[in-house]
Amino acid sequence: MKKKKVSKLTKKLGRMINTGLALLALLLIVGSAIATYIQYTKIFDEHTSRVASTVADGIDGDFIERLYKAQQGEDFDELRNMPEGEKKQDKVKKWLDQKGLLKEYDETIEFMEDFNANMGTEFVYICVIDNGKSIDLMEAFDRYNSLGHTEELESSFDYLKGNQDVEPTNTLSGYGWLSSGGGAIYNSNGEAVAIAFVDMDNTKIYNQFRIFLIIVSATAFVTVILVTFVVMKSVYKGVAEPIELLTQEAENFADSETYSKEMIQELDIKTDDEIENLYKSTQHMQHSLIDYMDNLKKVTAEKERIGAELNVATQIQADMLPRIFPAFPERKEFDLYASMDPAKEVGGDFYDFFMIDDDHIGLVMADVSGKGVPAALFMVIAKTLIKNRALMGGSPSEVLAYANDQLCEGNDAELFVTVWMAIIEISTGKGVAANAGHEHPVLRRKGGQYELVTYRHSMAVATLEGLKFKQHEFQLYPGDSIFVYTDGVPESTNSNNELYGTDRLLEALNKEPNASPVEILKNVTDSINEFVAGAEQFDDTTMMSFSYYGANLSKKLGEHKRELTIEADLDNMDRVTKFIEDGLAAHDGNSIKIAMDIAVEEIFVNIANYAYGDKKGMATITVEFFKDPNAIKVIFEDSGTPYNPLQKPDPDVTLSSEERQIGGLGVYMVKKSMDEMTYEYEDGKNILTIVKKF
């Protein structure tokens, strides 16, 4: 089997060498043929041009000019269009005699015929190029038929401008290989008046060319055979035989079930080239491989132990982050969701959220420099310090200043952590945030789009002891949302080394801006996964979404919603009242039926009487029902004259009816009987909202 393998190598080298030498021979033959063809063609073309110029120099240009001008007369038109033959020859001859040109014409033809016979040319003829047409004046061996023959040219000629290029052509059968050349004929004033053309036969030259190719090919073939024999002998002794020994030794080593340095054999390979270097490198590799395999068992056992510890560390890190959602199911004022996807077994990113007291929530998003176990340990300490200090009270800047000083102590690894921290008052939506070198947060106002909130940040935590951190106040309104993240999100990279970036992040967030925090994070995650398309990531991706609904019921989302659009007319009062009462009956709200009837009637009557004046208009009544606590919200919308009933001062109910000013009592009664009453003017509509608990 081993000899067979060496034989295959020898055959392969033989095929490669033979192919290379054959290609070399072919290149030599083709190159020689091309060079010979170019040189022969150049010489023959130059010769053809010189012959054509010689013919032109021997012809009287003044005569040619007179001849051409004479045939422009009307008396020649009949001759021009006559078919060739004896009749045309006789008439042309008489016409030449009448013009006094016959003698010179015959002398010129005889000169051309003598030249053609003595110089070995095939054809000699004279023509004029005029407006894209070739007009024959005379042709050797055809004295009179050619005069006046006109052809349309397929391409332009520049012979009259002194250009005497030669164009070899393979003409139709009967003419063989020809080279054509032309020379300008000048009159006594030095003006070019016509062209003398000659055609010369290339057949002899090309026959010589073929003989030359045969000789070159035969020489190359013999040379290839001799060189192949010598090269193959040298290659076998210097390449194939040493490689055979190396192959046998490698197979013996690979087939062995046990490995020891005693099994490595010394081979007689002294080629003083790369093959000998390969043999020495192979020996060194065998020794190294045996050492490596001895250590591999120890390394494998240690790696399994470390892997198990890393799995435990990963689980511990995951358990330290809040992962139970909804996090605060009893709180209806807000909703949040967060996730962390480490790039390695354990990562340095972390998030946190916790209730500081019953009316304040703390939000934290952070990213530790570095990766792996050191970053994870630093993350555990930073998270603990920040949360514990926040629960003791204080602003975000105070919390970060405390964590910074603690982390700077003994920070020999010089790790640091970027942090975004906010404390939000749930009842009012007022918040205070500090940003220690972290990514810009993203804010969405109710009904709007997610947008980056950019401002100058403080330095990262644990960079310098005694740092002070800037903080700023912000206001959340019901329906607003905050999205925070680590740099692993915008720096996610695809296979083309492109970054995901904040533009794609905003596009993913605004795909469904009204979505819940869970859906928001899913949209962003899906967008990142689609972008990276499986490319390996080198940073953790951590995100948190916080939606604020507010403490006011009028700003919360209803669980059951009904809507009625009707003409703002007093005749429709009963339909509006029944619409409200049906909803109350379906939600066990009959206890507030009377109060709601009075309030709804007061508001709808005001819309019917005053919103549109003398014109007719529409009103939309939307009803939403809530649980925990049970409540009803009624929204009245009309497109009438802008009017805020809440701006009207409350009447003084301590006065008698005679003493009080007229008006305002109905709105006052609604305000007192409802738990909430708000007004806004938006998109050309009056929007009045009332809320009643039951």
Side-chain angles (χ1 to χ4, degrees), residues 96-278:
L96 289 170
D97 189 35
Q98 292 173 357
K99 297 295 184 179
L101 300 172
L102 179 60
K103 181 181 179 182
E104 290 178 278
Y105 186 89
D106 288 340
E107 290 175 352
T108 303
I109 287 291
E110 289 173 359
F111 167 75
M112 293 167 58
E113 291 175 347
D114 290 342
F115 190 92
N116 191 66
N118 295 326
M119 294 301 295
T121 57
E122 293 294 322
F123 302 101
V124 179
Y125 51 97
I126 299 172
C127 66
V128 173
I129 307 301
D130 188 8
N131 293 325
K133 296 180 180 179
S134 173
I135 303 172
D136 290 346
L137 296 181
M138 55 182 60
E139 182 178 327
F141 308 113
D142 190 359
R143 295 200 174 197
Y144 308 113
N145 271 322
S146 60
L147 182 61
H149 179 262
T150 302
E151 290 184 2
E152 295 285 343
L153 297 177
E154 295 183 359
S155 58
S156 61
F157 288 88
D158 293 327
Y159 290 107
L160 292 180
K161 297 179 181 178
N163 188 328
Q164 295 184 5
D165 290 338
V166 176
E167 208 175 301
T169 59
N170 184 8
T171 63
L172 298 175
S173 60
Y175 294 94
W177 285 86
L178 300 178
S179 288
S180 298
I185 299 173
Y186 298 92
N187 62 15
S188 57
N189 294 326
E191 298 172 340
V193 295
I195 305 169
F197 280 104
V198 299
D199 294 339
M200 301 193 71
D201 188 3
N202 294 342
T203 304
K204 292 181 180 180
I205 293 177
Y206 287 112
N207 288 336
Q208 295 176 359
F209 176 66
R210 283 194 293 270
I211 294 172
F212 173 79
L213 283 182
I214 293 172
I215 295 173
V216 170
S217 301
T219 303
F221 179 75
V222 174
T223 303
V224 167
I225 293 177
L226 294 175
V227 172
T228 300
F229 177 79
V230 174
V231 171
M232 282 298 300
K233 195 73 174 176
S234 300
V235 168
Y236 179 76
K237 295 298 291 182
V239 178
E241 193 173 42
I243 290 178
E244 174 189 3
L245 295 175
L246 278 174
T247 302
Q248 290 175 343
E249 172 63 13
E251 287 183 348
N252 293 335
F253 187 82
D255 292 341
S256 179
E257 295 182 358
T258 59
Y259 296 92
S260 63
K261 294 185 179 180
E262 288 74 18
M263 65 181 294
I264 301 175
Q265 299 182 6
E266 294 291 331
L267 303 178
D268 185 19
I269 297 179
K270 297 178 181 179
T271 58
D272 195 26
D273 56 16
E274 285 76 6
I275 294 179
E276 184 176 353
N277 293 337
L278 176 62

Side-chain angles (χ1 to χ4, degrees), residues 514-534:
N514 294 318
S516 66
V518 174
E519 294 168 329
I520 285 293
L521 262 64
K522 181 181 182 302
N523 289 341
V524 176
T525 301
D526 291 345
S527 176
I528 293 174
N529 291 338
E530 181 181 356
F531 174 77
V532 302

Side-chain angles (χ1 to χ4, degrees), residues 249-250 253 259-267 278-296:
E249 172 63 13
F253 187 82
Y259 296 92
S260 63
K261 294 185 179 180
E262 288 74 18
M263 65 181 294
I264 301 175
Q265 299 182 6
E266 294 291 331
L267 303 178
L278 176 62
Y279 164 59
K280 293 179 180 179
S281 299
T282 302
Q283 272 197 323
H284 177 72
M285 180 186 67
Q286 289 174 329
H287 285 279
S288 300
L289 183 60
I290 291 173
D291 292 336
Y292 172 78
M293 294 183 71
D294 290 339
N295 293 327
L296 183 60

Side-chain angles (χ1 to χ4, degrees), residues 249-549:
E249 172 63 13
E251 287 183 348
N252 293 335
F253 187 82
D255 292 341
S256 179
E257 295 182 358
T258 59
Y259 296 92
S260 63
K261 294 185 179 180
E262 288 74 18
M263 65 181 294
I264 301 175
Q265 299 182 6
E266 294 291 331
L267 303 178
D268 185 19
I269 297 179
K270 297 178 181 179
T271 58
D272 195 26
D273 56 16
E274 285 76 6
I275 294 179
E276 184 176 353
N277 293 337
L278 176 62
Y279 164 59
K280 293 179 180 179
S281 299
T282 302
Q283 272 197 323
H284 177 72
M285 180 186 67
Q286 289 174 329
H287 285 279
S288 300
L289 183 60
I290 291 173
D291 292 336
Y292 172 78
M293 294 183 71
D294 290 339
N295 293 327
L296 183 60
K297 295 179 181 179
K298 300 177 183 179
V299 173
T300 302
E302 181 67 14
K303 184 177 180 181
E304 290 177 353
R305 184 187 64 80
I306 294 174
E309 293 179 356
L310 281 175
N311 290 335
V312 174
T314 302
Q315 187 61 44
I316 292 174
Q317 182 191 27
D319 291 342
M320 289 198 66
L321 301 179
R323 295 185 300 165
I324 299 176
F325 298 98
F328 307 101
E330 74 282 359
R331 304 305 296 254
K332 305 299 181 182
E333 303 95 328
F334 62 87
D335 188 15
L336 62 84
Y337 189 77
S339 68
M340 194 273 284
D341 182 17
K344 296 183 179 294
E345 290 85 355
V346 288
D349 286 8
F350 69 90
Y351 64 83
D352 203 358
F353 49 83
F354 43 84
M355 297 298 298
I356 298 174
D357 54 44
D358 198 47
D359 195 33
H360 292 84
I361 185 172
L363 304 177
V364 179
M365 179 61 61
D367 183 4
V368 176
S369 62
K371 300 289 179 290
V373 174
L377 293 174
F378 201 78
M379 161 255 173
V380 171
I381 299 172
K383 178 182 179 299
T384 303
L385 288 172
I386 291 173
K387 182 175 181 179
N388 290 347
R389 180 62 181 84
L391 292 175
M392 294 170 60
S395 65
S397 62
E398 294 171 337
V399 172
L400 296 185
Y402 170 80
N404 176 76
D405 293 340
Q406 297 298 314
L407 291 171
C408 283
E409 294 182 9
N411 187 13
D412 296 334
E414 297 184 347
L415 296 173
F416 61 88
V417 54
T418 65
V419 184
W420 177 89
M421 180 182 182
I423 296 176
I424 300 173
E425 188 175 54
I426 300 171
S427 60
T428 64
K430 293 180 180 179
V432 180
N435 194 324
H438 200 71
E439 299 294 312
H440 296 300
V442 185
L443 175 65
R444 173 187 173 270
R445 295 298 185 186
K446 178 183 178 182
Q449 299 282 303
Y450 280 95
E451 297 178 353
L452 284 176
V453 181
T454 58
Y455 52 90
R456 294 190 63 180
H457 301 166
S458 302
M459 292 180 63
V461 174
T463 53
L464 185 66
E465 193 170 357
L467 279 178
K468 302 297 181 183
F469 295 89
K470 297 179 181 180
Q471 66 182 24
H472 66 277
E473 296 180 354
F474 62 93
Q475 178 68 52
L476 291 182
Y477 300 98
D480 293 351
S481 297
I482 295 176
F483 179 85
V484 287
Y485 54 96
T486 59
D487 59 2
V489 173
E491 293 178 5
S492 296
T493 309
N494 64 12
S495 57
N496 296 325
N497 220 21
E498 296 176 305
L499 296 180
Y500 180 70
T502 54
D503 289 342
R504 291 186 178 88
L505 171 61
L506 292 175
E507 182 179 348
L509 290 170
N510 290 316
K511 178 182 178 182
E512 295 180 273
N514 294 318
S516 66
V518 174
E519 294 168 329
I520 285 293
L521 262 64
K522 181 181 182 302
N523 289 341
V524 176
T525 301
D526 291 345
S527 176
I528 293 174
N529 291 338
E530 181 181 356
F531 174 77
V532 302
E536 183 180 2
Q537 300 305 300
F538 302 96
D539 204 354
D540 309 335
T541 54
T542 307
M543 302 175 282
M544 182 193 301
S545 177
F546 178 86
S547 294
Y548 180 68
Y549 301 139

